[in-house]
Amino acid sequence: MQKITTGVLIIGSGGAGLRTAIELKEKGIEDILIVGARKFDDAHTVLAAGGINAAMGVMDPNDNWQTHAVDTFLEAQQISNPLLVEKLTKKAPEAIEDLLRFGAQFHREDDGRLTQRFFGAHSYKRTLFHGDTTGKEIIRVLVAQSNNLDVDFIEDLYIFELIEKDGKVIGAAGINKVGESVYISASKVVLATGGYSNIYRRSSSRNRENFGNGIHMAFMAGAELGDMEMVQFHPTGLVYPPSAEGSLITEAVRAEGGLLKNNLGERFMKKYDPDKLELSTRDVVARANYQEIKMGNGSSNGGVYLDISSRTEEYLRSRLPAIYDKVMKMNGINLSKDAVEVAPTAHYSMGGIVIDKDTHQTSVEGLYAVGECTTGVHGANRLGGNSLAEILVFGKDLGTHLSQCDLSQKEIPESLISKIESDIENISDGEESSNVLLRDTRDLMWRKVGIVKNMPELDSAIERLGEYSDRIEKNSIAIETGKQEFIRKSHRLNSVIQLSLLIAQSAKLRKESRGSHYRTDYPNSNDEMRFNYIIKKEGDSYTTEKREIAEPTTEMKNALGTISKTQNYVHLE
Ligand code: FUM
């Protein structure tokens, strides 16, 4: 067993965690530790493809933070926190300046100006990019900057429990790659653990990540969660081969001129959004793809066609090099000649841990959160390119806040460590296979709590999830591959089942369609439901609450003007 003490413990080594750590270091705070479940330079952020938004006005001088804020709030279907939206959009240009200072290389015009491209539902060209591997470039420079600043980190450490004393989080327990338990005492604990879109069978995440375990740990510690029903389905994930099913074909393909077509050769987005077409909001494009496939207008492998053959190989290699190579390797298709088959894939969770807009503290003392594991800024739908901006802006903001806090350390009492150790010691072999239950849960969520929902399907999902939960409790999980792997897998499975229940329950509560949450039995948005739905643990159960959307500042109100645009839903069965 190992015991470690630190001032700030950051769980998660993606962009949000790294940016928080860098800010703390730059503000002179030495005593911080980042832990990650993977290698330090291989967190989920590396998958972010198409770009990062900042209203820098390089390509479109009329762009400004106000327009970015309005686009973000409209995409969110007006249930995001306008105060967070204002902060994000005002500070995004500074986040880019910081990245440039750290050495990031973004695509530039021949005259040296940073290039910005259109992404879906933006009013201006606003998305900066590094080919189609923007996340990788950002992680490259954040890791380099962290190393320059001597940030301490531990790789391959899986955190499975937050440790609390007197209602305050004082550390965490994890298991390292050799199966040793690790106890970390900290004055402040930051969750930067990502989202939960991998709870769905077809997802753009890699194996082993984005199962929402950080969010579940926060819930178990008593933190409020919000809008858990809001899961974004990206319109274009690969359909085959099976090993790559769901993996992302970046929105940048459509931004660079890619057209969506059905098996009749129709450019079908003309029916669903004749103005914005392929660059409509993500939920509209995803549902259009879903609908075409459902109506029998899909491709032979169950997708629709994404066609960018109007672009030359040279152009594609310059703007979309990774996707060009990926489609060639995975599907044997040359994108400058032929279309690739794509279909919706679970991509991002807008729901998550509720945070204070200034301090980023959760509703539990000592526990903070940043990035995709939080809720608030994206509401019912996220603009493509806003998540990279979010992790940098709010990571920096959180680092600044924590640098002003008292970080004196508290030791985890021995009695709490002994309790966890004895739980580990007493693990007994069970009957249920965690792999099978995980597969079945993800499949269930895809079919019944996915892109289209309704009351009977939600009820049946909840019943089935309850059965899975009972089975684990009654029969226990089989220890298939040693204790360390067992703890990791059983913890993940438990998080997945419990979060799935919360997603399905929240989806039942929201009796309307809004953004990415589409219910065939309530196909319209209802202004009386323009709330955030908050869930909180209460004993062995939970409570739910409708919470008013925060009041915007006068400046933000002026920016928002008199928005009356609600979404034009194409009604689906
Ligand atoms: O399609 C994409 O490149 C995704 C970007 C995003 O989700 O921000």
Side-chain angles (χ1 to χ4, degrees):
M1 177 206 311
Q2 272 186 56
K3 290 185 198 165
I4 299 169
T5 301
T6 184
V8 180
L9 166 64
I10 300 170
I11 305 173
S13 59
L18 291 175
R19 190 64 191 86
T20 306
I22 289 169
E23 199 56 24
L24 278 158
K25 279 282 188 172
E26 289 194 340
K27 293 274 184 319
I29 306 297
E30 288 301 320
D31 198 13
I32 59 180
L33 172 67
I34 302 193
V35 301
R38 301 176 74 100
K39 295 281 173 251
F40 197 42
D41 59 357
D42 190 34
H44 181 71
T45 310
V46 298
L47 291 194
I52 173 166
N53 303 331
M56 301 181 77
V58 182
M59 311 293 286
D60 276 321
N62 287 335
D63 197 14
N64 53 32
W65 77 263
Q66 286 93 335
T67 323
H68 187 185
V70 171
D71 289 350
T72 302
F73 197 63
L74 278 181
E75 175 93 357
Q77 291 290 307
Q78 308 187 48
I79 60 162
S80 54
N81 181 333
L83 305 165
L84 286 173
V85 172
E86 180 174 341
K87 195 188 281 190
L88 171 75
T89 52
K90 273 186 174 168
K91 292 192 173 179
E94 181 184 309
I96 300 294
E97 297 299 340
D98 286 343
L99 286 177
L100 294 172
R101 172 166 64 89
F102 302 155
Q105 304 286 325
F106 289 112
H107 198 282
R108 288 182 184 268
E109 297 296 287
D110 290 343
D111 60 9
R113 285 176 309 149
L114 289 163
T115 306
Q116 296 189 277
R117 63 183 162 204
F118 256 123
F119 246 35
H122 287 265
S123 300
Y124 292 108
K125 288 184 184 168
R126 183 181 287 145
T127 307
L128 299 107
F129 57 96
H130 175 94
D132 51 1
T133 51
T134 311
K136 224 179 202 167
E137 176 65 1
I138 290 175
I139 287 293
R140 180 185 74 77
V141 299
L142 293 181
V143 166
Q145 184 69 0
S146 304
N147 286 336
N148 291 341
L149 294 167
D150 282 329
V151 172
D152 284 330
F153 62 90
I154 306 178
E155 301 175 323
D156 294 317
L157 177 63
Y158 185 83
I159 299 291
F160 60 85
E161 191 166 329
L162 297 173
I163 300 178
E164 287 176 84
K165 185 164 174 276
D166 303 328
K168 182 175 183 309
V169 169
I170 55 163
I175 187 129
N176 66 17
K177 64 178 171 196
V178 294
E180 246 180 344
S181 33
V182 179
Y183 294 91
I184 308 170
S185 310
S187 175
K188 311 284 179 206
V189 175
V190 173
L191 290 170
T193 47
Y196 52 88
S197 54
N198 214 358
I199 278 181
Y200 288 83
R201 189 194 78 217
R202 187 187 284 160
S203 146
S204 60
S205 296
R206 298 180 292 199
N207 277 342
R208 287 188 165 220
E209 50 192 15
N210 279 347
F211 287 108
N213 45 306
I215 299 172
H216 186 243
M217 285 192 293
F219 176 74
M220 294 305 285
E224 291 178 344
L225 306 185
D227 295 334
M228 291 299 287
E229 71 283 14
M230 293 301 178
V231 176
Q232 178 170 76
F233 294 87
H234 193 290
T236 58
L238 274 187
V239 176
Y240 72 88
S243 60
E245 189 188 346
S247 87
L248 198 66
I249 298 296
T250 172
E251 184 165 315
V253 175
R254 282 172 285 134
E256 297 289 357
L259 309 180
L260 287 165
K261 294 184 183 162
N262 60 21
N263 63 14
L264 307 168
E266 271 177 332
R267 190 179 171 193
F268 57 82
M269 281 311 299
K270 287 183 184 166
K271 289 187 287 197
Y272 298 93
D273 186 342
D275 297 330
K276 297 200 211 87
L277 297 158
E278 282 81 3
L279 292 182
S280 182
T281 58
R282 274 198 180 156
D283 59 313
V284 169
V285 185
R287 277 194 298 275
N289 290 356
Y290 168 91
Q291 181 76 349
E292 289 299 310
I293 296 164
K294 191 153 182 266
M295 287 189 314
N297 296 342
S299 62
S300 47
N301 292 295
V304 290
Y305 296 101
L306 177 60
D307 184 353
I308 189 163
S309 59
S310 59
R311 296 292 190 188
T312 62
E313 187 171 328
E314 189 193 359
Y315 186 91
L316 295 176
R317 282 197 183 281
S318 137
R319 300 283 184 130
L320 301 162
I323 286 297
Y324 183 84
D325 286 345
K326 174 165 150 176
V327 171
M328 180 71 86
K329 185 166 156 234
M330 297 280 180
N331 306 83
I333 287 172
N334 179 344
L335 279 177
S336 69
K337 297 194 165 58
D338 290 308
V340 60
E341 291 175 56
V342 292
T345 180
H347 179 60
Y348 189 89
S349 39
M350 279 77 67
I353 307 165
V354 176
I355 49 160
D356 177 84
K357 69 171 177 41
D358 297 315
T359 64
H360 303 264
Q361 188 167 280
T362 69
S363 54
V364 178
E365 205 188 329
L367 184 64
Y368 296 75
V370 63
E372 192 179 345
C373 63
T374 66
T375 190
V377 76
H378 307 297
N381 205 8
R382 177 177 65 79
L383 275 181
N386 261 2
S387 58
L388 286 177
E390 174 195 8
I391 58 181
L392 298 171
V393 168
F394 294 139
K396 180 172 184 175
D397 211 46
L398 171 56
T400 306
H401 169 73
L402 290 177
S403 71
Q404 293 153 4
C405 293
D406 171 11
L407 299 178
S408 49
Q409 299 152 2
K410 322 247 174 327
E411 294 298 324
I412 301 173
E414 273 309 315
S415 57
L416 297 180
I417 294 183
S418 309
K419 163 83 178 65
I420 297 173
E421 282 296 297
S422 103
D423 287 349
I424 295 176
E425 213 39 55
N426 292 330
I427 285 169
S428 60
D429 206 359
E431 292 166 17
E432 301 284 350
S433 156
S434 63
N435 288 346
V436 169
L437 272 179
L438 182 66
R439 182 201 65 199
D440 291 352
T441 305
R442 294 178 73 226
D443 189 56
L444 183 78
M445 291 300 284
W446 180 257
R447 286 186 293 107
K448 295 183 182 281
V449 196
I451 202 161
V452 166
K453 305 164 198 156
N454 61 51
M455 195 64 99
E457 296 285 35
L458 290 172
D459 278 335
S460 113
I462 289 167
E463 195 184 327
R464 183 62 61 84
L465 290 165
E467 282 164 27
Y468 293 167
S469 177
D470 290 348
R471 267 166 58 184
I472 300 185
E473 205 161 314
K474 203 163 132 237
N475 306 333
S476 300
I477 301 289
I479 304 178
E480 285 152 356
T481 46
K483 242 178 202 181
Q484 186 237 10
E485 197 54 11
F486 172 83
I487 290 175
R488 188 192 265 268
K489 280 185 172 178
S490 58
H491 177 257
R492 181 181 66 191
L493 178 66
N494 193 39
S495 298
V496 164
I497 293 178
Q498 300 312 326
L499 284 191
S500 296
L501 274 164
L502 298 182
I503 297 168
Q505 296 285 11
S506 302
K508 258 183 87 165
L509 278 179
R510 194 177 280 284
K511 294 193 175 96
E512 64 162 350
S513 290
R514 187 178 289 274
S516 56
H517 171 72
Y518 186 87
R519 288 196 45 167
T520 51
D521 45 355
Y522 296 96
N524 296 311
S525 293
N526 176 354
D527 272 353
E528 287 177 14
M529 307 218 84
R530 217 191 120 225
F531 288 103
N532 297 123
Y533 284 90
I534 309 296
I535 294 199
K536 187 167 183 276
K537 187 172 179 314
E538 190 75 47
D540 284 341
S541 184
Y542 58 84
T543 55
T544 59
E545 178 195 324
K546 282 202 277 187
R547 188 165 292 168
E548 296 274 352
I549 308 300
E551 184 66 13
T553 61
T554 309
E555 216 182 347
M556 180 74 177
K557 258 189 198 147
N558 290 338
L560 292 170
T562 51
I563 289 178
S564 61
K565 271 202 238 171
T566 46
Q567 190 150 332
N568 176 18
Y569 287 97
V570 176
H571 290 186
L572 309 178
E573 290 309 315

